[in-house]
Amino acid sequence: MSAFQEFGHLSERRKAERHQKMRKRVALISVSTLVLIILIAAGVFALVYQSKHDAKTNVIDDPTSSTKQISSSMKAIKMMCAPTDYKKVCESTLSNAVGSNSTAQPKDLMKTAVLVIIDEVHKAFNRSSAFETKDPKIKGALDDCKELFGYAIDDLRATVKNLDIHEIGDLPEKAHDLKTWLSAAISYQQTCVDGFPEGKLKAKMEDTIVAAKQLTSNALAIVNEAASLLSMLKIPGFNQRRLLESNSPTVGKDGLPDWMSAEERRVLAEHSKKGALKPNVVVAKDGSGDYTSISDALGMMPENYKGRYVIYVKAGIYNEAVIVEKKMTNVTMYGDGARKTIVTNNNNFVDGTSTFQTATFAAIGDGFIAKDMAFRNTAGTIKHQAVALRVQSDRSIFLNCRIEGYQDTLYVQTHRQFYRSCVIAGTIDFIFGDAAAVFQSCTMVVRKPLDNQQNIVTAQGRIDRHETTGIVLHNCIIRADKKLVPLKNKIKSYLGRPWKEYSRTIIMESTIEDLIHPDGWFPWDGNFALKTLVYAEYNNKGPGATLKRRVKWPGYKVINKKEAMKYTVANFIQGAEWLKGTGTPVDFGLLK
């Protein structure tokens, strides 16, 4: 007889206790699951349960049972639409899409909420294509809209695909991606409108996309609410790993994120160890490389390349407009230093190019990394909007780079972006856009504008309160260019102004020199956005960081450490998931 065998009544009692615990566990899981389903608008499930229960107990429903099912479906839809800003649009859209299907599941409803946006964006594009004009600026705006609608649809399709392949319990883990893509989609729609000159056609374009914008806002609210509720419900034994959102990255034995391909892991590990990358191709102005222009090197990048594609750009001044296209993912580009490898151009708004298209360098393909390079727009102050660098690339990294221009220098357009030890120089709104962008240990150099102008460092463009976007300056320095120094008391300079209604900018643990006006922040137009913006400062230092005379706007506040933690690299752009192992120096949390 085994020494570990249980005996008599003790054995039976233990078995009974285990059985009782198991029943309690199953009951808890069942109840918790039901609560979960109801909370995320799965009242339709309850309807199915009721109909099965009636069948088992031989309850014969009255002739209006189908009406009751539809009514229950509408209750589920109303629950799902509750957190949205456009409830009637949400309820109408989902009820029309679901129709008489009383067994629609929560994931189906969420997927439907995104699919209808794709349909509406297509409709908006078809309507805008019918616009008739001979004005070259409007024609250019329409061309931009075509491109921007394409980007929006790509992000919406990515959202649908992820809802397709994952269970509802996976939502908290995927929510950041979904919200990033939906935020980008709504930003692209607005960028289309912004490209039109003031007038009837701009108003008409605004009307054309209003339905798509409302639907995108609703989808953002639904995903956000559902993910939050799922994260809060810590259900023992019910796929808890997926339900709870982790602050730490999922990494392999080599310390690199699991989502990276084998080739990309090899390249980044090599870079991290040796401090130098082995390039796939070399660009050299003097002809000593594989190509003499960056655009030519990108143009010859193999289709569907697996892994990270590395381009080394030797010292030189490259006068060209460069685009890292959407299909060019996981490109690393590095130079011989930000004062030696320089990409430059002078495209500008005054000479007839839309702001969107003025960029000297545009990084669109996801996973782009730039290191030891400079991006310039030399159009100057007189030419107004002239972008040096436009970034749409999700999970993009800029390390030891210089970004130089005047008005609208750096367009952080969409998705998640990280800048470390970079120098950004400009005058008006010189860091602008609607990305979730964190600048860490960077220097913002404020230059001398035109005589009748003031300087503004940031102009963040969040247009919907559900968007996950914003500009964060962490451990940065804001200082005057040497040409501005003798005029800094005459020319006013500010930290930011609200480009859009829900503009969000956070400055924390940074040094602000004495060029910044005591008000700190500047209005866009009267009282526009002053109640809805989110502007905050935390633990800054320097003469320009004095808070005594800061603006008294409802949306501005000085935040505490707990609130500041929301805007760290780890939390705001989920940097721990994708920056580890890339060789990029980074502080995931606050310094103190």
Side-chain angles (χ1 to χ4, degrees):
M1 183 179 291
S2 169
F4 298 100
Q5 185 175 342
E6 295 179 340
F7 293 91
H9 296 297
L10 179 61
S11 174
E12 291 302 315
R13 190 177 71 187
R14 287 177 178 172
K15 287 180 181 179
E17 286 173 351
R18 284 200 301 269
H19 185 62
Q20 187 176 15
K21 286 180 180 178
M22 182 61 70
R23 281 191 301 174
K24 286 181 179 179
R25 186 180 180 86
V26 170
L28 178 59
I29 292 171
S30 300
V31 172
S32 299
T33 304
L34 182 59
V35 171
L36 166 67
I37 291 168
I38 292 172
L39 283 173
I40 62 173
V44 283
F45 282 178
L47 173 66
V48 174
Y49 171 81
Q50 185 61 48
S51 62
K52 289 180 179 178
H53 176 73
D54 289 347
K56 287 180 181 179
T57 55
N58 296 319
V59 174
I60 300 175
D61 209 346
D62 63 33
T64 63
S65 60
S66 61
T67 304
K68 286 184 177 180
Q69 289 180 346
I70 294 171
S71 176
S72 296
S73 296
M74 276 308 301
K75 285 181 181 178
I77 288 170
K78 282 181 179 292
M79 288 181 189
M80 180 164 275
C81 292
T84 66
D85 292 342
Y86 308 98
K87 292 180 179 60
K88 288 184 179 179
V89 171
C90 180
E91 292 170 10
S92 173
T93 303
L94 292 183
S95 60
N96 288 340
V98 171
S100 59
N101 180 12
S102 63
T103 61
Q105 297 186 18
K107 190 172 75 169
D108 297 327
L109 291 174
M110 276 189 271
K111 192 167 76 172
T112 297
V114 181
L115 286 169
V116 293
I117 309 170
I118 297 176
D119 185 51
E120 194 57 48
V121 170
H122 278 299
K123 288 179 183 177
F125 172 70
N126 291 335
R127 289 193 290 267
S128 67
S129 297
F131 289 3
E132 294 183 1
T133 180
K134 294 181 179 180
D135 187 331
K137 286 190 175 181
I138 294 176
K139 286 183 178 179
L142 288 169
D143 287 341
D144 287 351
C145 285
K146 181 179 180 180
E147 183 177 343
L148 290 159
F149 284 161
Y151 294 140
I153 289 170
D154 284 345
D155 278 350
L156 292 167
R157 284 176 175 161
T159 306
V160 172
K161 182 179 178 181
N162 270 264
L163 286 169
D164 263 337
I165 63 177
H166 292 95
E167 295 302 320
I168 193 70
D170 294 321
L171 190 57
E173 284 187 353
K174 301 305 299 178
H176 290 304
D177 287 341
L178 302 180
K179 289 185 285 186
T180 294
W181 296 328
L182 289 169
S183 294
I186 200 169
S187 181
Y188 288 137
Q189 295 164 37
Q190 184 60 44
T191 304
C192 164
V193 174
D194 290 341
F196 283 80
E198 295 297 329
K200 291 182 179 178
L201 273 183
K202 181 169 186 173
K204 190 175 180 181
M205 192 69 229
E206 183 77 68
D207 290 341
T208 298
I209 69 161
V210 67
K213 284 173 64 179
Q214 290 179 353
L215 291 169
T216 312
S217 173
N218 286 343
L220 266 168
I222 289 168
V223 169
N224 187 54
E225 186 73 8
S228 297
L229 289 169
L230 282 159
S231 292
M232 286 191 296
L233 286 173
K234 302 179 181 180
I235 305 171
F238 182 69
N239 206 12
Q240 187 168 347
R241 182 191 62 80
R242 292 180 175 177
L243 286 175
L244 299 181
E245 199 167 352
S246 175
N247 287 327
S248 57
T250 304
V251 296
K253 293 179 180 179
D254 53 7
L256 296 174
D258 281 342
W259 52 263
M260 287 184 176
S261 67
E263 174 62 16
E264 188 172 10
R265 295 165 73 84
R266 183 192 67 75
V267 171
L268 288 175
E270 180 180 284
H271 171 48
S272 182
K273 290 177 182 177
K274 298 181 181 179
L277 289 167
K278 183 179 179 181
N280 294 81
V281 295
V282 177
V283 179
K285 195 73 176 176
D286 61 10
S288 62
D290 301 299
Y291 303 96
T292 57
S293 81
I294 300 169
S295 297
D296 286 347
L298 285 167
M300 295 303 293
M301 180 178 171
E303 293 282 343
N304 303 315
Y305 184 82
K306 302 298 182 184
R308 184 156 286 277
Y309 196 75
V310 182
I311 301 174
Y312 167 38
V313 186
K314 286 188 175 183
I317 297 176
Y318 297 83
N319 195 337
E320 55 180 311
V322 178
I323 301 176
V324 181
E325 297 177 10
K326 176 78 175 177
K327 63 182 179 180
M328 299 173 181
T329 59
N330 298 321
V331 171
T332 289
M333 195 175 294
Y334 71 100
D336 285 323
R339 293 190 181 276
K340 294 180 178 179
T341 299
I342 300 164
V343 190
T344 185
N345 210 287
N346 64 354
N347 290 333
N348 63 84
F349 182 78
V350 170
D351 289 343
T353 304
S354 67
T355 302
F356 175 69
Q357 299 290 3
T358 61
T360 296
F361 194 103
I364 302 171
D366 290 345
F368 179 76
I369 299 175
K371 181 181 178 183
D372 299 324
M373 296 180 66
F375 308 96
R376 287 180 182 169
N377 192 309
T378 59
T381 55
I382 198 69
K383 296 295 186 177
H384 298 286
Q385 296 97 324
V387 176
L389 174 65
R390 185 181 90 234
V391 184
Q392 297 165 234
S393 172
D394 192 20
R395 292 175 166 172
S396 53
I397 301 169
F398 292 82
L399 178 62
N400 299 329
C401 291
R402 293 183 68 89
I403 305 145
E404 302 172 347
Y406 291 88
Q407 183 171 344
D408 293 1
T409 301
L410 173 57
Y411 192 175
V412 289
Q413 190 177 12
T414 51
H415 299 121
R416 290 163 289 193
Q417 307 176 17
F418 179 68
Y419 299 78
R420 175 80 181 205
S421 302
C422 292
V423 175
I424 304 98
T427 55
I428 300 172
D429 306 334
F430 67 90
I431 302 173
F432 77 109
D434 194 22
V438 177
F439 297 83
Q440 197 171 82
S441 303
C442 292
T443 301
M444 286 68 194
V445 179
V446 184
R447 304 175 111 173
K448 179 182 176 296
L450 294 175
D451 291 341
N452 62 341
Q453 294 177 331
Q454 68 281 315
N455 287 313
I456 297 135
V457 178
T458 67
Q460 205 279 331
R462 193 169 66 134
I463 62 172
D464 188 280
R465 70 186 181 94
H466 301 291
E467 285 186 81
T468 57
T469 59
I471 293 172
V472 178
L473 274 55
H474 181 210
N475 191 32
C476 292
I477 298 172
I478 301 172
R479 66 172 180 83
D481 180 72
K482 62 182 180 180
K483 291 184 179 179
L484 178 64
V485 170
L487 300 168
K488 62 186 178 183
N489 293 326
K490 180 181 177 182
I491 296 173
K492 295 178 180 179
S493 298
Y494 300 88
L495 298 172
R497 62 174 177 166
W499 182 28
K500 301 297 179 185
E501 189 174 1
Y502 293 93
S503 180
R504 177 160 59 183
T505 301
I506 314 298
I507 302 178
M508 54 192 196
E509 296 187 316
S510 294
T511 300
I512 305 174
E513 295 191 356
D514 62 357
L515 74 156
I516 296 298
H517 189 278
D519 287 354
W521 307 83
F522 193 71
W524 185 272
D525 184 15
N527 292 323
F528 170 74
L530 302 188
K531 292 182 179 180
T532 50
L533 60 79
V534 179
Y535 284 174
E537 296 181 59
Y538 169 73
N539 201 25
N540 297 312
K541 60 184 178 180
T546 303
L547 301 172
K548 290 180 182 178
R549 291 175 52 189
R550 283 294 194 257
V551 293
K552 306 301 181 186
W553 304 340
Y556 168 78
K557 61 180 177 179
V558 179
I559 57 176
N560 58 31
K561 185 174 183 178
K562 182 179 179 181
E563 291 174 296
M565 283 295 295
K566 299 175 185 177
Y567 302 104
T568 59
V569 170
N571 293 325
F572 193 58
I573 57 172
Q574 301 81 56
E577 296 175 8
W578 54 279
L579 284 166
K580 260 193 173 180
T582 63
T584 305
V586 56
D587 296 302
F588 291 111
L590 296 169
L591 300 182
K592 294 180 181 178

